[in-house]
């Protein structure tokens, strides 16, 4: 038996935010990030809609990118004091992910962060509150998924929380919110969506229910992401839908080692003044992981099916895989995303010498590889890497060298 879980209601299209007016409850907490939702008026709209529904509203503001364990615990304390029956998270993946973890702690105050990290091991939620997620970025799709990513800065590790309990009750996918994204964010979140869809399609947990969603997302991202990056707002709208389709796919069909590696390298060098941004990490690592996984015959066949769906050409499965890799690398070029860690600058743009020094990367390589192999996303990857293979793969991602093992 296999489970397929998505939010009970998904409101999408222009003015979908107005769905908040129909919510029933006494108190709502609204979780939000750094300021774009306030700057562009969407936070005020959301609060006004909730108040018009008769609710008292309290804000949890300033949730940082790559939210920390400490932020989660502070937000949960606010919820425990206010006792909301609706938790509404608005913005990018970070405030939504943080709010999901706060929700767990609010419903079960005895739960530790270590407890939250037990894959599909959470206690039942919805005893106190329901959850609504409103995404302003077109990539993480956390508004429809059973996942959250929280960073433990004391360890320099991002931890994926995974359980169908944290799948939101309501998702609002309003394209007008995505119009606020700067180009770099469009690029990074878009390639995150592409990675979600590609990884799900070859995952060992893919099903007949996830395959069509993944392929539809891949098709749209391949044609619409670059124009969206260049300012085409009609394509920005279709990208917002595509990333949501990818999210429904990967929440049920799971991911692979591109995400394992991105989780474990993202904050590994934070003391140098920057993170390897998640979507950019996925974009850099995806072509290398495809080459690695394609040594598995079933994975090679699945990748070639993607290439056929995109009409990339090629006469053999191996040639089709190479054409898919070339397409993804070409997209990185057009989106101004580096091809490897060595060329990843502090500003996330390509440069000759990136912010992660070669010797420091090699010094931490083994520990990163061990953590990546142990990541929750590794289990559904079509080819299971050893720690030694993961080290070699990470080196290929550092130097942009060929994966021949």
């Amino acid at each position: 038996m296999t489970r397929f879980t998505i939010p009970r209601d998904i409101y999408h299209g222009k003015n979908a935010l107005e769905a908040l007016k129909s919510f029933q409850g006494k108190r709502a907490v609204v979780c939000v990030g750094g300021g774009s939702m306030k700057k562009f008026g969407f936070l005020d709209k959301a609060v006004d809609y909730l108040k018009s529904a008769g609710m008292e509203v309290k804000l949890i503001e300033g949730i940082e990118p790559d939210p920390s364990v400490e932020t989660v615990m502070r937000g949960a304390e606010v919820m425990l004091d206010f006792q909301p029956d609706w938790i509404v998270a608005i913005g990018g993946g970070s405030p939504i992910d943080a709010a999901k973890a706060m929700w767990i702690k609010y419903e079960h105050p005895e739960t530790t962060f270590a407890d939250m990290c037990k894959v599909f091991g959470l206690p039942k939620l919805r005893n106190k509150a329901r959850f609504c997620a409103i995404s302003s970025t077109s990539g993480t799709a956390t508004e429809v998924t059973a996942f959250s990513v929280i960073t433990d800065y004391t360890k320099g590790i991002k931890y994926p929380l995974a359980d169908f309990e944290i799948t939101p009750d309501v998702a609002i996918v309003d394209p007008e919110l995505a119009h606020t994204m700067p180009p770099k964010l469009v690029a990074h979140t878009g390639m995150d969506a592409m990675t979600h869809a590609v990884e799900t399609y070859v995952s060992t947990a893919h099903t007949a229910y996830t395959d069509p969603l993944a392929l539809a997302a891949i098709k749209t991202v391949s044609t619409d992401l670059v124009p969206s990056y260049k300012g085409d707002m009609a394509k920005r709208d279709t990208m917002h839908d595509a990333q949501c389709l990818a999210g429904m796919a990967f929440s049920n069909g799971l991911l692979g080692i591109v995400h394992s590696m991105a989780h474990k390298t993202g904050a590994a060098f934070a003391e140098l003044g920057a993170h390897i941004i998640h979507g950019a990490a996925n974009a850099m690592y995806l072509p290398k992981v495809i080459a690695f996984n394609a040594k598995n015959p079933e994975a090679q066949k699945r990748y070639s099916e993607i290439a056929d769906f995109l009409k990339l050409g090629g006469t053999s499965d191996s040639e089709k895989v190479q054409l898919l890799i070339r397409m993804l690398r070409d997209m990185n070029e057009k989106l101004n995303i580096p091809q490897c860690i060595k060329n990843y600058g502090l500003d996330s743009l390509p440069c000759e010498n990136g912010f992660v020094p070669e010797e420091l990367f090699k010094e931490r390589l083994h520990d990163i590889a061990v953590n990546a192999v142990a990541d929750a996303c590794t289990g559904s990857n079509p080819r299971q890497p050893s720690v030694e293979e993961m080290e070699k793969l990470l080196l290929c991602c550092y130097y942009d060298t060929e994966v021949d093992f």
Side-chain angles (χ1 to χ4, degrees):
M1 181 175 67
T2 304
R3 179 173 175 176
F4 185 89
T5 300
I6 58 175
R8 183 180 186 280
D9 294 300
I10 301 174
Y11 296 95
H12 57 96
K14 189 175 180 180
N15 299 321
L17 194 62
E18 289 188 20
L20 292 171
K21 293 193 291 189
S22 65
F23 284 22
Q24 295 182 349
K26 294 180 180 179
R27 289 177 296 277
V29 157
V30 178
C31 301
V32 69
S36 64
M37 291 298 94
K38 179 181 286 188
K39 176 183 176 183
F40 293 103
F42 293 111
L43 177 60
D44 287 343
K45 277 187 179 181
V47 170
D48 288 346
Y49 289 149
L50 290 166
K51 287 181 176 178
S52 72
M55 284 192 248
E56 184 183 352
V57 179
K58 189 174 188 66
L59 299 181
I60 297 177
E61 298 184 84
I63 296 171
E64 75 276 27
D66 303 303
S68 67
V69 177
E70 290 74 19
T71 294
V72 167
M73 298 307 169
R74 284 195 300 270
E77 286 296 325
V78 173
M79 293 181 187
L80 284 163
D81 180 64
F82 186 64
Q83 292 290 305
D85 39 32
W86 273 102
I87 298 167
V88 177
I90 182 169
S94 294
I96 298 173
D97 280 2
K100 286 180 176 181
M102 293 173 192
W103 183 25
I104 300 167
K105 186 73 173 175
Y106 167 53
E107 297 253 355
H108 298 279
E110 73 285 356
T111 304
T112 66
F113 183 66
D115 293 333
M116 294 182 194
C117 294
K118 295 173 184 174
V119 177
F120 293 97
L122 291 178
K124 293 290 183 184
L125 301 182
R126 296 168 181 82
N127 300 305
K128 296 181 179 178
R130 286 183 290 169
F131 192 98
C132 171
I134 308 164
S135 178
S136 66
T137 60
S138 302
T140 68
T142 188
E143 75 274 8
V144 293
T145 75
F147 300 99
S148 165
V149 179
I150 305 298
T151 302
D152 184 337
Y153 285 92
T154 63
K155 297 179 180 178
I157 295 176
K158 295 183 178 182
Y159 288 94
L161 315 185
D163 197 293
F164 287 121
E165 285 299 313
I166 58 172
T167 303
D169 298 282
V170 177
I172 295 177
V173 187
D174 189 325
E176 290 192 7
L177 278 69
H179 291 185
T180 66
M181 288 192 294
K184 186 162 70 173
L185 188 58
V186 171
H188 293 164
T189 56
M191 288 308 290
D192 192 19
M194 175 65 89
T195 305
H196 290 155
V198 172
E199 286 213 286
T200 300
Y201 194 75
V202 301
S203 161
T204 57
H206 78 89
T207 69
Y209 289 77
T210 62
D211 284 353
L213 293 167
L215 287 174
I218 291 166
K219 176 78 169 177
T220 300
V221 177
S222 70
T223 58
D224 292 5
L225 175 55
V226 173
S228 172
Y229 173 72
K230 292 179 177 179
D232 184 329
M233 290 301 161
K235 300 298 186 185
R236 188 77 56 87
D237 293 355
T238 56
M239 275 297 304
H240 209 44
D241 288 331
Q243 64 86 33
C244 188
L245 297 178
M248 289 188 279
F250 91 78
S251 187
N252 293 279
L254 306 182
L255 295 167
I257 59 172
V258 178
H259 274 76
S260 303
M261 294 157 66
H263 291 152
K264 290 347 183 198
T265 54
F269 308 96
E271 80 276 13
L272 300 178
H275 283 203
I276 302 175
I277 295 171
H278 181 72
N282 284 340
M284 292 189 294
Y285 306 162
L286 181 58
K288 303 302 182 192
V289 169
I290 290 174
F292 174 80
N293 283 342
K295 304 294 191 294
N296 173 290
E298 177 62 21
Q300 183 188 59
K301 176 177 173 290
R302 301 285 292 177
Y303 288 129
S304 71
E305 288 173 3
I306 294 173
D308 284 342
F309 190 73
L310 298 178
K311 296 181 170 58
L312 298 182
T315 56
S316 66
D317 284 350
S318 60
E319 186 182 0
K320 291 172 184 178
V321 171
Q322 288 306 311
L323 289 169
L324 177 61
I325 290 171
R326 185 186 304 170
M327 183 203 80
L328 293 167
R329 288 177 63 90
D330 286 347
M331 288 183 71
N332 287 349
E333 291 287 342
K334 291 173 182 175
L335 296 167
N336 215 13
I337 295 175
Q339 300 288 5
C340 64
I341 299 169
K342 185 175 184 292
N343 299 136
Y344 185 95
L346 279 167
D347 56 2
S348 80
L349 297 175
C351 64
E352 187 172 346
N353 292 300
F355 85 93
V356 182
E358 181 178 12
E359 289 309 312
L360 183 62
F361 185 81
K362 288 182 176 178
E363 179 184 315
R364 298 185 183 176
L365 175 62
H366 178 73
D367 288 346
I368 292 171
V370 169
N371 290 329
V373 169
D375 188 88
C377 293
T378 300
S380 47
N381 195 69
R383 183 182 173 195
Q384 288 297 298
S386 65
V387 171
E388 181 183 5
E389 287 171 330
M390 181 61 77
E391 288 183 11
K392 290 168 70 175
L393 188 54
L394 284 162
L395 284 170
C396 290
C397 292
Y398 185 87
Y399 293 109
D400 192 22
T401 49
E402 184 181 355
V403 178
D404 57 1
F405 54 93

